[in-house]
Structures are given as C-alpha cells and as structure tokens.
Amino acid sequence: MPFSKALAYILVATALIAAGPTTAQLSPTFYDARCPNLSSIVEDVVRQALLTDARAGAKLIRFHFHDCFVNGCDGSVLLIDSVEDNIDSEQNAAGNQGIQGENIVNDIKTAVENACPNLVSCADILAIASNSAVVLAGGRGWEVQLGRRDSREANRSGAVSNLPSPFEPLANLTVKFANVGLNSTDLVALSGAHTFGRSRCIFFSRRLTNFSGSGLPDPTLEAAYRETLIEACPAGGDNNRINLDPTTPDEFDKNYFTNLQANRGLLTSDQVLFSTDGADTIEIVNRFAASQEAFFDGFGASMIKMGNIRPLTGTDGEIRLTCTRVNPLPAVADM
C-alpha cells in the first residue's frame, strides 16, 4: 500500500477513535436500506406546514435544540405529562415556555410510520426536520447523522438548569454550551438560527425601558429599533410576537449577524454575542456577517456536533410509536 494511502487510513481511524463512540454510532446512511425516502417524507410535511405557518421551521429547530441540551438528543422534550408513565414533561420548564410545533412533529411521525413503521425515532425526526426547515428557508443543509433512539423518561429539572435563557449574559451562555461539549463558535453559529422565527415581547421587553433594574434602556439596543419595539410591545402586549430578524424574518441567511453589528439583536442572549467587551464571540459574529458561506459552513458543523450529544443508540431506549408518549410496556404473564 502506498505510504500516502496508508497515512490516510491511519488519520481516518485516529479521527474516529478521537471522536469517541457517540459520534461513530450515528450515520447519515442509517435508514437508507430500510427507509430510503425518509428525508423526502419529512421535508414534504415541513413544506406543507410552512404553507399555513411561517414559523413552522423555527418551531422544529427549537425543539431539536431544546431536546439535545437536556439528557442529549433523545426525543425527551416531546413527551407530555403522564401520571401513568411517571412523566413530568420538560415542556413545563421555564426554558420551554411557549414551545410549539408538536402538531407538526406528530404529522411527520404519522407520515413516516405509514411508510416505514416502527423504525424511525422521534429524536431522528427532529434532526431531519431541522435540516429541512433550514433548506426550505433558503439555507444550506448538512449531512444529518442518524440512528438515535427515544428515551422513556423526561428530565424537567434538567431543562430548568441546562437550557440557555434569553436573559442571560455571555458568561452564562458559554458555560451552558461548554457543559454539553460546545464551544464559542458553536454558540454563535447555533444562535444564528434566530435568523428566522419570532419571540414574544415578554422575553425582551425589559431591555426597552428598565434594563437590569436601571430604569434605563439597554445601552446596546439601537435607538430607532428600540422605538419600533416599544410600539410593537405596548402595555399588556407581552404575548405579541416579534420577528427575531427584522431584516429578512423568514429567510435563513447571515442577516442575524449584521443585525448584531448594528445593535439590532432582539434578545439579550443575541446581542451579548457582539456587545460583550473582549469576548471571543465578536470575531466570530464578524466572520459570519461578512460571509454567508462561512455561516452556513459553521452552522452545519455545529448542528452535527450538537446532534451528537449523548444519543441513545443500539438497544438503549426505544422507537416511540407516538412522539408524545412512551410505548406501553409488554404485559407480564401471571405465574
């Protein structure tokens, strides 16, 4: 064997070992033989949802993010309260307040089950649907890694402590991302998902007039944009929904980052990426603002990395028949 080819084999093997068993157990071809049209089935349902709900893509990708940050990417965020199954839903946690889109996930699951019964996990559906959401909004897809299984439990307390908050400073966000193996580049790239979707006024209204109890607006909020937000969020309007990206609200592009450069990030957790003195995230924001290709490259790489957080594989967990409920346990015969 030529030295160059032997060296290439060694490098690939070394990379797989360094990546650890979690990465190696997932594969983009996991369903190819048994459900070859899986990606198309998912994308078709997402496309249909977008016809009547411009926020459908953002809802799906938020589910995937919030799933992976709590116990890993195991579909636990989809489970609803059940006394019978001892489920205290993660959706009850403050960080999941107002999370939506489970109806879309259920529609995807139904379509997938009709074509490929008892095969595809809800955790994998979230990963595939997130890719479809980005592509259908004009972004670039990535090679989705597959083979996750679904958990039989939820972790509400983990959702309370692990999910990033829209009110947090950069230091807190950095720690929460580091706790799941993600770095500053991942933090900035994944925050770029706020290039589409909406947020309720309650999650940023304190920036408008009484930031951190100062009685003054957030100094990192551009004045004209602040006035626009005040009009959009009148007294009693906490549940009004505002575009996360005021420039191209339904497109997946780099404008999220140019907005940050102009102090037009909607949430505190957005603007701190650019406005925290001395932060390493500033250079990353500038790089993504300057090049949409750089953002797409970074986002895809970080989505793959996030999707590899502690998945259940092999015989662990289950393939849920319904994404909101664990499967019934088999009956035990009387002795």
Side-chain angles (χ1 to χ4, degrees), residues 299-323:
F299 187 80
S302 292
M303 286 296 288
I304 292 172
K305 190 173 176 182
M306 184 186 76
N308 277 321
I309 298 172
R310 296 173 57 192
L312 298 175
T313 58
T315 58
D316 292 336
E318 64 183 14
I319 303 300
R320 269 186 233 141
L321 302 179
T322 302
C323 287

Side-chain angles (χ1 to χ4, degrees), residues 116-298:
C116 311
N118 306 323
L119 180 63
V120 182
S121 69
C122 299
D124 274 349
I125 282 174
L126 291 181
I128 301 167
S130 295
N131 183 72
S132 297
V134 169
V135 170
L136 292 171
R140 183 177 1 113
W142 54 94
E143 193 171 59
V144 181
Q145 305 296 304
L146 300 167
R148 302 169 190 82
R149 288 169 64 84
D150 297 319
S151 72
R152 288 190 54 84
E153 58 186 25
N155 184 0
R156 179 182 178 179
S157 63
V160 170
S161 59
N162 297 345
L163 290 175
S165 161
F167 309 114
E168 289 187 302
L170 181 59
N172 293 25
L173 298 173
T174 301
V175 168
K176 288 185 175 181
F177 273 68
N179 286 343
V180 292
L182 302 176
N183 59 29
S184 293
T185 298
D186 301 316
L187 167 58
V188 177
L190 294 174
S191 295
H194 284 177
T195 187
F196 61 2
R198 316 285 188 268
S199 177
R200 287 187 290 160
C201 293
I202 194 172
F203 293 120
F204 60 85
S205 57
R206 66 183 69 179
R207 299 185 67 204
L208 306 181
T209 55
N210 188 27
F211 183 62
S212 298
S214 66
L216 299 170
D218 185 342
T220 67
L221 184 61
E222 193 264 332
Y225 184 43
R226 171 178 166 263
E227 293 301 322
T228 299
L229 295 176
I230 288 174
E231 290 181 13
C233 298
D238 282 351
N239 290 322
N240 292 0
R241 296 187 183 274
I242 308 301
N243 296 328
L244 284 160
D245 176 356
T247 310
T248 50
D250 297 321
E251 296 178 25
F252 199 91
D253 55 28
K254 69 181 181 66
N255 286 341
Y256 169 80
F257 301 103
T258 57
N259 291 333
L260 298 186
Q261 290 176 321
N263 286 349
R264 291 166 65 87
L266 185 63
L267 307 176
T268 295
S269 57
D270 294 322
Q271 194 58 51
V272 294
L273 301 177
F274 186 73
S275 297
T276 302
D277 289 342
D280 61 352
T281 53
I282 296 172
E283 180 277 327
I284 305 167
V285 169
N286 288 335
R287 174 155 47 91
F288 290 161
S291 169
Q292 187 148 284
E293 289 301 303
F295 168 46
F296 286 172
D297 287 344

